[in-house]
Amino acid sequence: MLEFETLYKFLDLAGTFAFAISGAVAAKQRGLDMFGIFAVAFTVACGGGIIRDLCIGAIPPVGLSDWRYLVTAMLAALMTMGLHALVERLHQPVLLFDALGLSLFAVSGAHKALLYGHNTEVAILLGMTTAVGGGVLRDVLLNRIPVIFQKEIYASAALVGTIVVVAGEYFRWPDTVVSLTAIALCFILRFLALRYHWNLPVFRDKETAND
């Protein structure tokens, strides 16, 4: 049990770090000041987890009560500002770290819902909420259309990761193997969708399509 809790905490903090970087980079690209960068980084990193904890009754949310989440998000923001030239050398840095955070949070969110005794449906939905919630808040704060409302494969990738987690719980597969597999599948699906421009179908009115 201790090993499982350690793995879960690592995944949660790793996801926090990855999402905080994506938030800080996006905020810097929008020209926000230092406070704005810190605020967006923390919101992206902990927003989805806070929503999840409120839904499952984990009060106060760990993103607010555990100092490690705030420190992790702030360190990621400072690293992004201090080493911005290095981060910018990565190909599409926001999308890269966002995909990593998506994968880690989908897995940790589903795990936590199961840990609190909720059923498969709740675990899948809250795993997805944990994964995409911070990104939605980031896009709203930066006045952008949230990625999950567009044609990109984003929430669908998180869905795949959460399904693997609940399947592993049902069949009693080793937690470490299940978690790593779920993270890998979610990240690979999101990465390939970006690389090869895989998209979900978009339905438009004929008049709009002809404009």
Side-chain angles (χ1 to χ4, degrees):
M1 186 66 179
L2 181 59
E3 181 180 354
F4 171 79
E5 291 179 355
T6 301
L7 173 64
Y8 160 73
K9 184 61 68 176
F10 172 79
L11 293 178
D12 222 26
L13 289 173
T16 299
F17 187 80
F19 261 147
I21 289 179
S22 79
V25 172
K28 194 173 189 308
Q29 290 174 344
R30 283 284 184 167
L32 272 62
D33 62 15
M34 181 179 291
F35 179 79
I37 293 174
F38 280 128
V40 172
F42 178 76
T43 301
V44 177
C46 299
I50 290 173
I51 296 172
R52 172 204 63 208
D53 287 351
L54 291 174
C55 289
I56 65 176
I59 307 297
V62 68
L64 300 177
S65 61
D66 190 333
W67 62 270
R68 288 175 292 185
Y69 288 84
L70 175 61
V71 170
T72 299
M74 296 302 99
L75 286 176
L78 285 171
M79 188 190 80
T80 301
M81 289 185 286
L83 302 175
H84 186 66
L86 177 62
V87 174
E88 280 291 342
R89 291 193 187 101
L90 297 173
H91 179 60
Q92 295 181 308
V94 174
L95 296 177
L96 176 66
F97 287 107
D98 188 76
L100 181 58
L102 179 81
S103 308
L104 293 166
F105 272 2
V107 173
S108 67
H111 269 313
K112 188 165 187 178
L114 291 172
L115 188 64
Y116 272 70
H118 294 284
N119 61 28
T120 297
E121 179 185 357
V122 172
I124 291 175
L125 291 176
L126 290 184
M128 292 177 63
T129 299
T130 307
V132 306
V136 171
L137 293 174
R138 174 199 62 212
D139 292 339
V140 170
L141 288 174
L142 298 180
N143 196 28
R144 307 188 307 198
I145 298 176
V147 174
I148 64 169
F149 298 147
Q150 301 181 61
K151 60 183 179 179
E152 292 187 14
I153 295 177
Y154 189 75
S156 304
L159 175 62
V160 171
T162 59
I163 289 175
V164 172
V165 171
V166 297
E169 176 71 15
Y170 179 80
F171 291 107
R172 303 297 181 183
W173 293 333
D175 293 324
T176 302
V177 174
V178 171
S179 296
L180 293 178
T181 301
I183 291 169
L185 286 176
C186 181
F187 181 82
I188 290 172
L189 179 58
R190 174 62 176 156
F191 179 81
L192 291 177
L194 292 170
R195 176 68 175 80
Y196 296 105
H197 306 290
W198 296 346
N199 296 310
L200 296 175
V202 176
F203 300 95
R204 296 189 178 94
D205 294 335
K206 291 183 178 180
E207 295 181 358
T208 305
N210 293 330
D211 289 343

